[in-house]
Amino acid sequence: MIDVQSLKKSFGSNQVLKGISTSIKKGEVIAVIGPSGSGKSTFLRCLNLLETHDEGSILLEGKDINEMELHLRKKIGMVFQHFNLFPHLTVLENVTFAPQQVLKISKSEAEKEALDLLKTVGLSDKANSYPSNLSGGQKQRVAIARALAMKPEVMLFDEPTSALDPEMVKEVLQVMKNLVKLGMTMIIVTHEMGFAKEVADRVLFMDDGKLVEDQEPAIFFENPKTDRAKAFLEKVL
Amino acid sequence: MNLDFAQLVPSIPYILYGIWVTLQFVAVSLVLGFLWGTVLSLFKIGKITVLRWFADAYTSVFRGTPLILQMLLIYYAVPQLTGIDIGAFSAGVLTFALNSAAYISEIIRAGINAVDKGQKEAAMALGVPYRTMMLKIILPQAFKNILPALMNEFITLTKESAIVSVIGALDIMRRAQIVGASNYRFFEPLLLAGLVYYLLVMMLTLAGRVMERRLAKSD
């Protein structure tokens, strides 16, 4: 579904991606892990053009993503570390905004679908609240519902639980697990190793802008091939 | 002390009618200045170099020269060049709109830049086009942040509008001067004019507070 070929990206003189190649099949759940500054988030952001890559190519269903900006983003949903909910809109308006504005769905239909989505993330009762009245975990669940409202084919998660208080991590991971069960294609940048081990089909281990390992989680977490991955796992597990 | 307000009484309606003139003047200038200022601020944060350069130069010139000079140029000098006589009221409105747009564009630019960049990214990731993103996501948040600064600018505009009296527009200030000259007593009419301006500014301040409170409902 997504083919990435020798992806390179620099910020000024700092090369953050040094040639990443991988491909992701429909329905796969990919966990991207690695130390801070390894380029995980940049890699993810390149996939929906929040960053434009310098070299290499990204193909979505065989088409170069550079030529399909708005269309691409309708197909790829994204969840951010800091939620980025629209603070001046209610929870319901946050979820219905893009379907109404981008997909041109009627307000009543968008609201109906939004309420269904809010139900699946367990926040039906918060539909008319503003984001400032929600906890971090609730905000992130709304953000997931907002992304799902666009009916994306792929969901990107950029450290979705890193900004949360520890007791709120679980509720967000639970929502994500439900998505996995529904067969959603997901690429998740995360520091939650237990979660990665449990739900991922593949683990991409990145270090210093390179894709160091690309493995099934069972193999990666038990028998990492590279010393770099071994050292990293020893620190975090 | 030699104050005689009794002599002023017959002229009070004449001066008060100036409120209407001043309000019209301020309202039109304000709306035009605000719209033009918003456009300029979008030029400033946009990607098109020529427009950015234009907006920066524009602001620099209008902030760097006296307002009264700008007004006299538009009122006296433009007709000299083009032969089009635009009248005191229009010349005043035009000057104030052009001038306040320069200040307002800076206020709005700062307000837009102060909106968390995650907001833009979230909108982009949802496939929201630039125009919609600006109008529905970024600008509403920016306006909330800049409302106090914007009200300040509107208050300044209301007070500074008194200088249109220089080119003969019959606003509160001009009327107070005319009454002063005909009665040969200046203190009373000017005091009345001052009171009227003060009350107008207080009303604007109150309106600003009400708006701020309404916008704060999402906090």
Side-chain angles (χ1 to χ4, degrees), chain A residues 45 48 50 70 73 76 80 84-88 97-98 101-102 130 132 146 150, chain B residues 116 118-119 121-129 132 136-137 140-141 217-219:
Chain A
R45 292 162 60 85
N48 73 344
L50 284 185
L70 287 179
R73 289 178 179 151
I76 300 186
F80 298 87
N84 299 348
L85 292 180
F86 305 131
H88 60 304
F97 181 80
Q101 296 291 334
V102 182
Y130 282 95
S132 55
R146 178 176 69 175
M150 292 295 286
Chain B
D116 177 23
Q119 293 292 308
E121 290 186 348
M124 284 165 73
L126 286 166
V128 178
T132 315
K136 305 254 166 103
I137 301 293
Q141 294 184 54
K217 69 177 181 197
S218 61
D219 286 342

Side-chain angles (χ1 to χ4, degrees), chain B residues 99-112:
Chain B
N99 183 278
S100 69
Y103 288 91
I104 290 173
S105 72
E106 276 301 290
I107 295 172
I108 296 176
R109 185 186 61 83
I112 290 172

Side-chain angles (χ1 to χ4, degrees), chain B residues 23-38:
Chain B
L23 280 181
Q24 265 184 315
F25 177 84
V26 171
V28 178
S29 310
L30 205 141
V31 170
L32 292 178
F34 183 71
L35 292 177
W36 180 221
T38 308

Side-chain angles (χ1 to χ4, degrees), chain A residues 48-139:
Chain A
N48 73 344
L49 288 175
L50 284 185
E51 306 288 353
T52 46
H53 52 273
D54 304 328
E55 283 176 57
S57 66
I58 302 174
L59 305 181
L60 178 69
E61 288 165 344
K63 274 176 271 175
D64 191 327
I65 63 163
N66 280 330
E67 279 140 40
M68 49 192 288
E69 184 171 322
L70 287 179
H71 183 62
L72 167 86
R73 289 178 179 151
K74 285 181 206 164
K75 293 192 160 199
I76 300 186
M78 182 151 185
V79 174
F80 298 87
Q81 182 177 355
H82 295 289
F83 333 123
N84 299 348
L85 292 180
F86 305 131
H88 60 304
L89 303 180
T90 64
V91 164
L92 187 64
E93 288 164 346
N94 263 278
V95 181
T96 57
F97 181 80
Q100 280 183 262
Q101 296 291 334
V102 182
L103 304 178
K104 309 289 178 199
I105 290 175
S106 75
K107 189 178 175 197
S108 58
E109 198 180 332
E111 284 183 351
K112 192 170 150 283
E113 287 177 16
L115 288 170
D116 282 346
L117 281 168
L118 288 175
K119 202 170 164 189
T120 63
V121 299
L123 288 171
S124 301
D125 55 327
K126 297 289 183 190
N128 295 313
S129 303
Y130 282 95
S132 55
N133 295 323
L134 302 182
S135 70
Q138 291 172 330
K139 283 183 195 170

